[in-house]
Amino acid sequence: MEAKGDSSFTSVTSLTKKFQQNIPQQYVLPPSQRPNPTLAGHISTSLPVIDLSMMDHPAHKSKLINQVHDACSQLGFFQVINHGIPTSVMQDALDSAEEFFDLPSDEKMCFALTDVHKPVRYGTSMNHGMDKVFYWRDFIKHYANPISEWIHLWPSNPPTYREKMGSYAKAVNALQKKLTEVVLESLGLNVNYLHDDFKEGSQVMAVNCYPSCPEPDLALGMPAHTDFGTLTILNQTDQGLEIMDHDKKWRPVPFIKGALIVQLGDQLEVISNGRYKSIPHRVILNMQRKRLSIASLHSMKLDTKVGPAPELVDEQHPAAYKEGSFGEFLDYISATSLTEYKYIDMLKNP
Ligand code: OGA
Ligand code: NI
């Protein structure tokens, strides 16, 4: 019997346990939103990969800042290598995520809450209470900074979850601090710009599971969206992410073992007064393998209002955005389907 009600649903993981050749109708996207097969031959430029070992060499620092500036102003996206997080820490976190999604349904359902304001939340699709079409994704999201405030609320099963996900969360938060400084410098801002707001900023770990899909041409793991915060750092088991190029074409992000993906979110677009843009992205599916990802979503604290940096506002560049906060974003998405309206468009000044 299918359980109904606010905090109960059928996960994609349990759906795929029964062998099915076709996906349920609820997951079939209208033709205009389906992922068209990638025209790989048309992609001529490669996506930026930045070597963070330059960070430790004063002689290379300005080269690093230039590379970050180019990647952020052209795309709002880059991958990083030599970022200092051991591959084993990255892999352990992904393994503990996989074990969590493999648990029997009732072990996970105790985290199933429809209220997007909750600090730990297990769910499916994007916002399954509101989605017209469902996305082929199960997730658990949890707050992570400061970790001592939240870790006791995370799953205690699998038994190593807190330890493994916690080590990764701390490491990725430290990396985020360093990357944010470089991004601020690349905008010509002081590295200490809004220092305390960044330090005490929020970190939400979005742990995603995309089971293999029998009809990957008809569905998506996640629809096109931008992330609300400052930076997102993504760790993944496999290829599947696509980003929108400046010519509005979807481009698959190549999988590089050990690398992490960095994406700019809406709050950075606002701070930069539009010099940098948050990157639209989506997740495509495949028939062969389940894919796991951990997106560490960094932003200012829940109630911190973020507006364009005064240093980046002048007569030629009037403030292009209103102030907004993470909390206001959550209020917005609990009432609106993000697939129809973009939050960043609400912040744009006319
Ligand atoms: C997200 C996201 C991409 C992925 O969680 O916001 O965009 O590849 N994830 O899972
Ligand atoms: Ni995202």
Side-chain angles (χ1 to χ4, degrees):
M1 198 186 82
E2 197 183 18
K4 285 247 156 44
D6 266 350
S7 56
S8 192
F9 52 85
T10 305
S11 67
V12 187
T13 303
S14 57
L15 198 70
T16 50
K17 292 229 166 81
K18 305 169 251 164
F19 177 74
Q20 278 166 325
Q21 265 176 331
N22 300 106
I23 60 173
Q25 198 56 35
Q26 201 161 21
Y27 294 86
V28 177
L29 289 161
S32 65
Q33 289 169 40
R34 289 179 196 165
N36 27 350
T38 312
L39 306 163
H42 289 236
I43 295 166
S44 50
T45 52
S46 59
L47 294 171
V49 179
I50 297 181
D51 182 349
L52 285 191
S53 62
M54 286 188 283
M55 199 131 64
D56 308 321
H57 299 281
H60 295 150
K61 189 77 190 278
S62 62
K63 188 173 163 204
L64 171 66
I65 290 169
N66 283 338
Q67 287 185 4
V68 167
H69 179 269
D70 289 349
C72 289
S73 48
Q74 286 161 21
L75 281 168
F77 163 96
F78 53 97
Q79 300 207 57
V80 288
I81 53 169
N82 296 321
H83 45 66
I85 303 183
T87 314
S88 58
V89 172
M90 290 168 61
Q91 189 58 48
D92 281 355
L94 291 164
D95 288 346
S96 66
E98 178 163 20
E99 282 179 54
F100 172 79
F101 290 108
D102 282 343
L103 291 174
S105 205
D106 47 345
E107 293 249 16
K108 296 175 283 191
M109 277 300 170
C110 57
F111 299 103
L113 301 159
T114 42
D115 182 354
V116 296
H117 296 82
K118 290 283 186 281
V120 179
R121 197 162 64 90
Y122 167 65
T124 196
S125 189
M126 294 299 278
N127 188 353
H128 74 266
M130 209 133 59
D131 297 337
K132 293 201 185 88
V133 181
F134 275 21
Y135 297 92
W136 199 259
R137 163 208 190 216
D138 298 331
F139 66 85
I140 180 160
K141 289 188 184 178
H142 43 65
Y143 288 16
N145 185 49
I147 196 150
S148 56
E149 201 173 307
W150 307 111
I151 196 163
H152 63 284
L153 300 173
W154 295 7
S156 54
N157 200 11
T160 55
Y161 188 92
R162 291 182 187 172
E163 181 200 324
K164 289 180 172 175
M165 194 60 76
S167 301
Y168 177 68
K170 279 189 269 183
V172 81
N173 193 38
L175 174 63
Q176 174 269 145
K177 280 186 198 147
K178 289 196 241 169
L179 277 171
T180 299
E181 286 185 10
V182 177
V183 172
L184 291 174
E185 266 192 283
S186 77
L187 280 167
L189 294 170
N190 188 296
V191 290
N192 288 320
Y193 182 75
L194 296 180
H195 181 263
D196 293 343
D197 289 320
F198 274 109
K199 190 159 154 252
E200 290 159 24
S202 116
Q203 178 184 17
V204 179
M205 315 287 291
V207 184
N208 303 305
C209 176
Y210 307 97
S212 58
C213 177
E215 295 183 293
D217 296 343
L218 302 182
L220 283 171
M222 262 194 166
H225 68 281
T226 58
D227 295 341
F228 62 86
T230 48
L231 292 185
T232 299
I233 302 180
L234 186 86
N235 177 13
Q236 56 176 355
T237 56
D238 208 341
Q239 189 162 323
L241 180 70
E242 290 193 334
I243 58 168
M244 192 180 267
D245 211 337
H246 23 78
D247 55 11
K248 303 254 182 284
K249 292 219 170 59
W250 286 108
R251 293 186 56 175
V253 174
F255 177 77
I256 304 172
K257 188 145 181 57
L260 288 163
I261 289 166
V262 182
Q263 305 187 125
L264 298 192
D266 295 344
Q267 285 188 335
L268 244 151
E269 175 168 338
V270 170
I271 291 171
S272 78
N273 200 21
R275 284 170 177 75
Y276 292 171
K277 295 284 193 297
S278 54
I279 174 103
H281 53 282
R282 67 179 187 182
V283 176
I284 59 161
L285 303 159
N286 79 76
M287 246 184 317
Q288 288 79 32
R289 287 177 309 273
K290 156 168 70 180
R291 173 172 176 266
L292 290 135
S293 74
I294 306 170
S296 184
L297 303 155
H298 299 270
S299 71
M300 298 296 188
K301 265 201 301 211
L302 211 57
D303 48 7
T304 305
K305 293 263 195 184
V306 179
E311 294 85 340
L312 302 177
V313 176
D314 56 35
E315 258 174 52
Q316 278 94 51
H317 309 90
Y321 303 85
K322 292 186 261 295
E323 287 192 328
S325 69
F326 176 26
E328 286 167 354
F329 168 79
L330 290 178
D331 294 342
Y332 182 78
I333 61 166
S334 54
T336 324
S337 168
L338 266 195
T339 48
E340 285 165 78
Y341 304 98
K342 285 171 68 188
Y343 182 63
I344 188 80
D345 290 337
M346 298 281 304
L347 297 175
K348 282 182 187 149
N349 280 330

